[in-house]
Amino acid sequence: MKRFLMKIYFKLPVVLQDIAVSIYGLLLYQQRYTGIYKKYLKKYAANTHENVKREIRIQNLKFLYLLHYAAAASPFYKELYKDINLNQIKSVEDIGKLPILTKDMLRENIDRIYTIPKRKSLIFFTGGTTGIPLKVRKRKKDVRKRMAYLDAYKLTFGFRNNRMKSARFFGKKIVEENPRKPIFWRNNYISRQRLYSTYHLTEENLAYYVADLNRYKPASIDGFVSAIYCIARYMESNGIKPTFTPKAVFTTSETVLPYHRETIERVFGCSLSDQYASNEGAPFIVQCRCGSYHEAIDTGVFEHLERDGRTSLLVTGFDTIGTPLIRYDIGDVILPLSGKKSCACGSCHPIIEGISGREAAFLMTGKGQISQVQLSVLISSLSKRIVQMQFIQKKDGSLHIIAIPSLEEKGKASPKAYEQLYLALRDFLGSEVNIVLEYRDSPYLLKSGKFQLILKEEWLER
């Protein structure tokens, strides 16, 4: 049915596609921004998170409610906790007495984890980056509370969602593969959003994106940082100034690397604020106006698990009543922070240095493991010639490296330039690993539309 509707949609003229997108936007608005949404937006916007005792009390109450609800309403948790005296778990400090929920456990038992019927839930799909996407059931009230929390966070930057214009770069296929006209965006008039396709962001098309952004003049830009970076870098390289200053650039779903942040903030003249959550319902990590990453303990519990030299996250999400996630090993890695205990923004929520990304997103080379942050140093040194890079770890241990040259550099492409780039990569990655270097017009994207700096060969095969 969905494929049939999309075939019809792509046959419509752009103006009717805008109407279709807006009708869908109205459906999402009814699901996400009605009912208790306004009540919780007001509540969350008024909370500055300055009172430590109050925040811990809220966290404990929400945790104990979720725990006892899941044990009573979910057949899976009822069995998982059958040998545990839940009355001995008095607060978040006792959470270590509970078993860890792995991705395999979630996938294999999803039908027994649900606590609400399909007809009473909203369905969300996990990204499926390293596995098969799952259907997660959520109560409407929980979805509205999460939207209110997200919008209250954006209000701290002066942006009011649904009231101010936003430009969004995301992974839905809203434009046909080869459009007749270079119009790579569609409008959701209901939420005052202009949705930009990330699937058509080639060097040849970037001028159209930039010109439209300058016409539209959004109050915020949000979505995939890789896409927004491509826009910012193109503007800077071509001496194009934005005709607007956003309240902020809000990013999510992809790892923000230093060169992303530096370029985007320099070009648009505003803060880049990163935010972490997940379709499964992971609690929020938000970057405040002072630049600190805060673990929002009123939305869940964050546990830091040290393994293989990295800090992995276990999450417990308070808004996962329909599909409870308690001590869920989500597969993401964070960068812990030592020393800094407080932030000038006034929030008492714990601070981390940043979000490193997927646990599997590390390259294995002759020099050992290399992270995305380390690779960003290499990419920054090559930024005058290369727009974007991507590193694909093959099953045999070799590396397939994608390089997207700038339009100017593409015209100067020569065997000597190729050899210089290859030698720079060889010097950085070590001589022990086999490297295949390929020039392309665009990188590989995941099915979700996300760009990932480091990919595993098997992910592309799914």
Side-chain angles (χ1 to χ4, degrees):
M1 184 63 177
K2 184 178 178 180
R3 286 185 179 180
F4 175 71
L5 290 175
M6 291 306 295
K7 282 184 179 180
I8 295 176
Y9 168 81
F10 285 131
K11 289 180 180 179
L12 297 173
V14 171
V15 65
L16 292 182
Q17 288 184 2
D18 282 342
I19 292 173
V21 168
S22 298
I23 291 172
Y24 184 65
L26 178 61
L27 173 64
L28 293 181
Y29 186 91
Q30 292 293 331
Q31 291 177 346
R32 299 177 179 183
Y33 301 106
T34 57
I36 64 170
Y37 166 80
K38 288 184 179 179
K39 169 188 170 183
Y40 276 90
L41 176 62
K42 185 177 180 180
K43 177 182 177 181
Y44 293 144
N47 189 358
T48 56
H49 311 294
E50 293 178 348
N51 189 320
V52 179
K53 291 182 178 179
R54 180 178 182 273
E55 296 299 298
I56 292 175
R57 184 171 68 252
I58 290 171
Q59 186 187 42
N60 283 329
L61 288 172
K62 289 183 175 182
F63 165 63
L64 291 173
Y65 174 79
L66 175 68
L67 174 64
H68 288 280
Y69 176 88
S74 165
F76 170 79
Y77 281 104
K78 189 179 295 185
E79 182 179 345
L80 186 66
Y81 296 156
K82 65 181 180 181
D83 296 324
I84 299 173
N85 184 355
L86 297 184
N87 292 324
Q88 291 183 351
I89 297 177
K90 305 291 186 181
S91 70
V92 169
E93 291 184 358
D94 299 319
I95 198 169
K97 297 176 182 178
L98 300 172
I100 292 173
L101 175 70
T102 67
K103 281 187 176 290
D104 286 341
M105 289 167 68
L106 179 66
R107 185 178 296 109
E108 293 166 6
N109 298 280
I110 190 71
D111 290 329
R112 297 174 59 245
I113 291 176
Y114 296 141
T115 66
I116 56 176
K118 184 178 179 181
R119 58 187 171 79
K120 290 187 177 181
S121 65
L122 297 177
I123 303 296
F124 288 75
F125 292 87
T126 63
T129 302
T130 58
I132 301 169
L134 291 174
K135 291 182 181 180
V136 176
R137 295 179 188 175
K138 296 183 182 181
R139 301 185 307 181
K140 286 184 181 179
K141 65 186 294 185
D142 292 327
V143 172
R144 289 166 183 165
K145 285 163 66 177
R146 284 180 71 82
M147 292 299 106
Y149 199 94
L150 185 61
D151 288 351
Y153 141 71
K154 291 183 177 181
L155 271 175
T156 64
F157 290 86
F159 177 75
R160 180 104 189 196
N161 193 32
N162 295 315
R163 300 283 183 86
M164 297 178 176
K165 291 195 296 186
S166 67
R168 188 171 186 214
F169 291 82
F170 74 141
K172 301 290 184 184
K173 292 187 177 179
I174 53 170
V175 178
E176 56 267 42
E177 191 170 335
N178 297 298
R180 290 182 290 259
K181 295 181 179 179
I183 304 174
F184 306 109
W185 48 87
R186 298 295 181 263
N187 291 290
N188 173 8
Y189 296 115
I190 300 301
S191 293
R192 304 198 71 187
Q193 287 179 330
R194 183 158 289 178
L195 309 172
Y196 290 85
S197 169
T198 57
Y199 293 95
H200 298 79
L201 270 172
T202 61
E203 280 284 294
E204 290 80 2
N205 293 336
L206 281 169
Y208 298 107
Y209 284 83
V210 170
D212 190 72
L213 274 173
N214 273 337
R215 284 192 298 267
Y216 186 57
K217 297 177 174 52
S220 82
I221 302 174
D222 69 80
F224 297 160
V225 69
S226 60
I228 302 169
Y229 167 75
C230 282
I231 297 288
R233 190 187 184 285
Y234 179 86
M235 293 176 75
E236 190 167 58
S237 297
N238 291 275
I240 303 171
K241 301 288 186 182
T243 59
F244 62 99
T245 302
K247 301 287 186 182
V249 172
F250 299 108
T251 58
T252 189
S253 300
E254 295 178 344
T255 302
V256 176
L257 299 170
Y259 69 90
H260 290 148
R261 184 181 301 280
E262 291 162 9
T263 302
I264 290 170
E265 292 188 340
R266 186 168 59 245
V267 169
F268 290 110
C270 66
S271 297
L272 184 158
S273 180
D274 194 25
Q275 168 256 319
Y276 168 90
S278 73
N279 275 349
E280 293 104 311
F284 287 107
I285 299 175
V286 294
Q287 191 174 27
C288 71
R289 63 185 183 276
C290 297
S292 300
Y293 280 93
H294 291 274
E295 294 179 328
I297 62 173
D298 54 343
T299 67
V301 181
F302 301 85
E303 297 177 77
H304 299 173
L305 183 65
E306 300 298 328
R307 60 186 176 200
D308 300 326
R310 303 192 290 271
T311 304
S312 300
L313 266 184
L314 299 184
V315 296
T316 299
F318 295 153
D319 295 322
T320 61
I321 298 296
T323 311
L325 298 180
I326 302 174
R327 304 203 76 202
Y328 177 49
D329 191 349
I330 196 166
D332 287 321
V333 174
I334 62 158
L335 303 172
L337 191 65
S338 59
K340 189 176 181 181
K341 301 294 183 182
S342 62
C343 180
C345 75
S347 173
C348 66
H349 287 178
I351 302 169
I352 61 171
E353 184 176 336
I355 304 156
S356 183
R358 302 303 302 173
E359 194 166 30
F362 288 81
L363 283 184
M364 295 302 299
T365 73
K367 293 186 176 181
Q369 290 187 350
I370 294 181
S371 70
Q372 297 183 88
V373 175
Q374 290 170 297
L375 287 175
S376 73
V377 176
L378 169 67
I379 296 168
S380 294
S381 70
L382 302 170
S383 62
K384 290 184 179 179
R385 293 181 292 155
I386 302 298
V387 174
Q388 210 170 22
M389 298 192 78
Q390 192 170 50
F391 298 80
I392 303 170
Q393 185 96 60
K394 306 286 279 185
K395 293 176 183 176
D396 62 5
S398 64
L399 294 178
H400 180 187
I401 301 175
I402 305 298
I404 296 94
S406 64
L407 282 177
E408 182 182 352
E409 188 68 24
K410 194 182 293 185
K412 300 176 182 176
S414 67
K416 184 178 180 180
Y418 178 94
E419 183 181 2
Q420 288 176 341
L421 177 58
Y422 181 87
L423 290 174
L425 291 167
R426 169 64 67 205
D427 182 60
F428 187 88
L429 298 169
S431 58
E432 296 86 349
V433 61
N434 291 325
I435 293 174
V436 174
L437 174 62
E438 178 190 2
Y439 283 123
R440 281 173 58 97
D441 292 332
S442 59
Y444 291 105
L445 297 180
L446 300 173
K447 288 182 179 179
S448 61
K450 296 178 187 177
F451 165 82
Q452 197 142 313
L453 183 62
I454 298 174
L455 286 174
K456 307 297 182 184
E457 182 181 17
E458 54 266 30
W459 298 355
L460 295 173
E461 295 172 350
R462 293 192 175 108

